[in-house]
């Protein structure tokens, strides 16, 4: 399985930023330097079409940050998975902790979104992760396992979904779990996937939360870490590329 390096721009960026980002990617690729990871960018929805055009010919996939669970209808302001696929997306993030917190998304809603994504031909990236209080009370494994089991789409093979483990307290905080803790949670997630998903061994498990060029090689070297979901550091092409290039560099 190739490592997946995914950038989640969240509600950041602009047309100009997307242009500059793509230009830097293009300059990097023109140098002939090799990146051994698959790359994915998830810009805000209004920039998906621009990004699709800008990324043309570059080895970078396009993804969205959320989708609605229904294929179409009277849902003002929402975006269906089919629309994202129509725009050229291959992936969509579902159940990010910011959506779970700010929009009250439940595991059941996240699962419905993941199933809608799959039905539209997209690969859902299902986010799970414990809060600081849950970790401090020794519940990190139990909480992430329950989220996983309740959010993972039904009847989807392991080749059709990605899981991202993002401890809520590590997001945007500059704090990361110890490598041992990352390994412990990722192994636990893998064991769950092997139990209830067909081809559960094939699901890439990304780590997310304060991934930077400085810590990427260590994190990507942890067993069962199949890539990274990057927020802040994905806004600068140089940092995003440095993280992608650090795959296998340890
Ligand atoms: P940061 O990399 O900014 O901590 O964000 C992680 C994240 O939430 C990616 O989805």
């Amino acid at each position: 399985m190739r490592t997946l390096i995914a950038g989640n721009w969240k509600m950041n960026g602009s047309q100009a930023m997307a242009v500059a980002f793509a230009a830097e990617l293009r300059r990097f690729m023109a140098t002939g330097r090799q990146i051994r990871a698959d790359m994915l960018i998830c810009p805000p929805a209004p920039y998906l079409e621009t990004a699709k055009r800008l990324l043309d010919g570059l080895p970078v996939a396009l993804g969205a940050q959320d989708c609605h669970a229904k294929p179409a209808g009277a849902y003002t302001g929402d975006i269906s998975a089919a629309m994202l696929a129509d725009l050229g997306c291959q992936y969509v993030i579902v159940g990010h902790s910011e959506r779970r917190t700010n929009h009250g998304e439940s595991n059941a809603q996240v699962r419905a979104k993941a199933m809608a994504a799959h039905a539209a031909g997209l690969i859902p990236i299902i986010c799970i992760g414990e809060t600081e209080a849950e970790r401090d009370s020794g519940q990190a494994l139990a909480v992430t396992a329950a989220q996983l089991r309740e959010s993972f789409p039904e009847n989807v093979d392991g080749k059709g979904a990605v899981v991202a483990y993002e401890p809520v307290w590590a997001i945007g905080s500059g704090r990361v779990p110890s490598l041992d803790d990352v390994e412990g949670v990722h192994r636990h997630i893998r064991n769950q996937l092997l139990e209830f998903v067909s081809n559960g061994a094939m699901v890439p498990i990304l780590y997310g939360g304060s991934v930077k060029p400085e810590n990427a090689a260590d994190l990507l070297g942890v067993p069962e870490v199949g890539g990274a979901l990057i927020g802040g550091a994905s806004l600068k092409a140089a940092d995003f590329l440095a993280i992608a290039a650090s795959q296998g560099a340890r």
Side-chain angles (χ1 to χ4, degrees):
M1 257 193 312
R2 272 167 70 91
T3 297
L4 177 62
I5 302 297
N8 172 12
W9 287 5
K10 309 191 178 183
M11 197 173 72
N12 295 296
S14 61
Q15 301 259 29
M17 180 263 193
V19 169
F21 190 97
E24 194 154 342
L25 287 186
R26 222 166 268 287
R27 271 196 301 276
F28 181 94
M29 293 302 161
T31 64
R33 273 180 287 172
Q34 293 294 318
I35 299 255
R36 276 174 292 181
D38 288 337
M39 293 186 282
L40 164 68
I41 293 289
C42 303
Y47 303 131
L48 283 170
E49 191 161 10
T50 303
K52 176 72 188 161
R53 190 169 34 79
L54 290 167
L55 294 174
D56 186 48
L58 289 170
V60 182
L62 186 68
Q65 300 175 13
D66 181 44
C67 67
H68 197 273
K70 291 281 184 341
Y75 302 102
T76 302
D78 282 312
I79 300 170
S80 76
M83 292 170 186
L84 299 174
D86 199 21
L87 276 176
C89 290
Q90 290 159 270
Y91 293 83
V92 60
I93 298 168
V94 293
H96 191 281
S97 75
E98 286 148 18
R99 294 210 58 91
R100 290 177 184 267
T101 304
N102 301 335
H103 298 263
E105 288 187 13
S106 65
N107 289 329
Q109 284 169 312
V110 174
R111 166 176 277 164
K113 290 182 176 204
M115 291 174 73
H118 180 73
L122 300 176
I123 296 180
I125 300 176
I126 301 130
C127 300
I128 56 175
E130 83 285 358
T131 63
E132 185 153 33
E134 288 163 345
R135 168 156 293 260
D136 289 347
S137 57
Q139 295 178 77
L141 296 185
V143 166
T144 49
Q147 285 180 329
L148 178 70
R149 283 181 180 265
E150 292 169 31
S151 306
F152 200 90
E154 279 159 25
N155 303 322
V156 171
D157 183 84
K159 288 178 232 149
V162 173
V163 168
Y165 168 55
E166 300 204 301
V168 177
W169 53 274
I171 294 175
S173 66
R175 298 160 59 206
V176 290
S178 71
L179 299 181
D180 281 349
D181 283 345
V182 172
E183 181 174 348
V185 178
H186 278 242
R187 280 196 192 284
H188 195 61
I189 292 169
R190 174 68 67 209
N191 289 338
Q192 306 290 316
L193 290 168
L194 290 172
E195 269 180 40
F196 78 92
V197 177
S198 117
N199 282 320
M202 304 294 292
V203 180
I205 309 172
L206 314 184
Y207 168 78
S210 297
V211 178
K212 309 282 177 221
E214 302 77 49
N215 60 19
D218 284 342
L219 287 163
L220 292 172
V222 172
E224 295 296 358
V225 171
L229 183 56
I230 308 151
S234 74
L235 296 170
K236 282 198 203 134
D239 285 355
F240 180 72
L241 286 164
I243 292 169
S246 69
Q247 157 58 17
R250 201 172 69 134

